[in-house]
Amino acid sequence: MQPKSGTTVGRPDLGAIAYEYLLEASQRGFIGLEIFPIFDVTEQSAQYPIIPLEALLKVPDTSRAPRGAYNRGDWEFEMGNYACRENGWEEPVDDSEANLYRRYFDAEEVATRRAVDILLRSQEIRCAGKAFSTAALPDSAVGVAWSTAATATPRADVSTAKTNMRNSSGLEPNVIAMSKATFDALLLTKEIMDVFRYTNPIEIGGFEAQRRIMAMYFGVDRILVGNAIRDTAKKGKDAVIADIWNKNVVGLFTVGGGPDLRQPVLGRTFLWTAESPQNLTTESYREEKRRSNIYRVRQHTDEAYVFTGAGYLLTGVNP
């Protein structure tokens, strides 16, 4: 399909490629949308209800006298604000280049995948910044860095964090998130090696099996391992590869989706569907003066907290 010059058209065919790439992203260590799941909204900005702590934990008088009325809840929800911002990326494909390399690859598919990858990494950076923010979420330092394999005590550290989170908000985490570098260091600790040495040697299991075993060990539903990376060097300079997820922080979170924003979870990704029906909206248009087709991927989102009490951070984990 070749659009007329200057006319932007939706590309559901390329959208299928973007959707497939999005599904693969979680397997490649993109975990941001697991912590901030998509929540569709019809307005670019609005208020949303935030559950107050007292509504979660207070136990009012429930007694009723004969012929009397039942006591009723009169809690008023606090209000948060979301404001979706547009992010997008375009990849041009020159006609001569498309023809030159046609026998090797589909140029528009490659362009779409590159634009999707850039947009997802940008979104992952935003999610990681909020999820691992010690300015917004309560935190405490581990007793011994997990990178000190001989004496680290990860289970005690996680147990302390779970207790602190429960005491402050009444919630317990259902996921633990960490970088791939931190996960690798965790598996090498003497504590972990010793626990599973004779039953299920952790060092010989596959990655998914290791995640499941660690989730059971720490008493959560899932371990999320952020393996997304970025090149922090300026254009034209030698690559400087860095983890998007801070290897020195581990996050304990209560996460969940569903239609009820009053659910006490860490956050959501508000998606303005009037402008971007999907998290990754694909389009193309013709730029005749450059004899090129332009492939665009865009989104209108706000990755926002719903209840910061649904998160707790461990710091000093892997300095």
Side-chain angles (χ1 to χ4, degrees):
M1 179 190 299
Q2 178 144 305
K4 295 180 180 180
S5 183
T7 302
T8 301
V9 295
R11 295 295 302 271
D13 54 331
L14 298 180
I17 295 173
Y19 180 70
E20 178 185 345
Y21 198 91
L22 180 60
L23 293 180
E24 296 172 354
S26 62
Q27 300 172 0
R28 294 183 292 112
F30 286 75
I31 63 173
L33 293 182
E34 301 286 333
I35 301 171
F36 294 88
I38 297 291
F39 187 88
D40 293 348
V41 292
T42 57
E43 298 177 85
Q44 182 269 332
S45 63
Q47 290 187 320
Y48 61 94
I50 299 176
I51 191 166
L53 184 60
E54 62 178 355
L56 287 175
L57 303 180
K58 287 285 193 298
V59 181
D61 183 9
T62 59
S63 62
R64 172 186 173 272
R67 301 185 182 182
Y70 292 98
N71 292 326
R72 296 178 176 179
D74 59 356
W75 307 113
E76 293 184 2
F77 287 98
E78 299 170 359
M79 302 304 294
N81 294 279
Y82 73 82
C84 296
R85 297 180 58 186
E86 186 171 16
N87 286 275
W89 189 259
E90 293 184 339
E91 285 288 324
V93 176
D94 187 273
D95 290 352
S96 61
E97 292 176 337
N99 289 325
L100 181 62
Y101 300 115
R102 188 181 305 276
R103 62 183 292 188
Y104 302 108
F105 56 80
D106 185 329
E108 71 172 16
E109 179 176 339
V110 170
T112 301
R113 283 181 170 270
R114 173 168 166 74
V116 166
D117 186 79
I118 288 172
L119 211 57
L120 284 180
R121 288 184 197 277
S122 177
Q123 187 170 44
E124 192 78 356
I125 290 169
R126 297 195 301 273
C127 289
K130 285 186 174 288
F132 279 7
S133 171
T134 55
L137 304 179
D139 68 278
S140 61
V142 298
V144 177
W146 295 3
S147 52
T148 306
T151 56
T153 56
R155 189 169 190 175
D157 294 329
V158 169
S159 178
T160 298
K162 291 170 75 172
T163 299
N164 290 345
M165 181 173 168
R166 183 176 180 274
N167 288 343
S168 62
S169 68
L171 299 178
E172 295 193 8
N174 57 4
V175 304
I176 297 176
M178 64 188 74
S179 74
K180 181 62 164 57
T182 302
F183 186 71
D184 291 343
L186 170 66
L187 296 182
L188 293 176
T189 59
K190 184 177 184 298
E191 176 183 307
I192 298 300
M193 300 282 280
D194 286 350
V195 166
F196 298 103
R197 184 177 302 279
Y198 301 110
T199 57
N200 194 356
I202 198 75
E203 67 269 25
I204 63 174
F207 175 65
E208 290 303 322
Q210 291 170 338
R211 285 205 312 158
R212 287 194 298 272
I213 292 170
M214 287 296 94
M216 289 188 291
Y217 184 67
F218 289 123
V220 294
D221 295 339
R222 289 181 293 158
I223 300 289
L224 302 178
V225 180
N227 197 26
I229 58 176
R230 61 182 299 196
D231 180 2
T232 60
K234 294 183 178 180
K235 185 177 180 180
K237 301 295 183 180
D238 292 341
V240 178
I241 305 302
D243 284 316
I244 288 176
W245 291 87
N246 188 343
K247 68 175 186 175
N248 200 32
V249 177
V250 166
L252 290 79
F253 306 119
T254 303
V255 303
D260 188 358
L261 278 178
R262 296 168 298 180
Q263 182 183 6
V265 297
L266 181 68
R268 303 292 185 98
T269 295
F270 293 96
L271 174 68
W272 186 24
T273 55
E275 275 295 309
S276 51
Q278 306 294 330
N279 187 48
L280 301 170
T281 297
T282 55
E283 300 166 335
S284 65
Y285 63 93
R286 180 71 179 170
E287 199 167 83
E288 195 58 51
K289 65 180 180 180
R290 289 186 171 86
R291 294 189 63 242
S292 298
N293 290 333
I294 313 299
Y295 299 92
R296 175 195 295 151
V297 180
R298 60 181 179 81
Q299 59 186 186
H300 259 93
T301 63
D302 183 10
E303 298 77 20
Y305 297 118
V306 171
F307 181 51
T308 54
Y312 193 93
L313 304 179
L314 285 170
T315 61
V317 177
N318 190 21

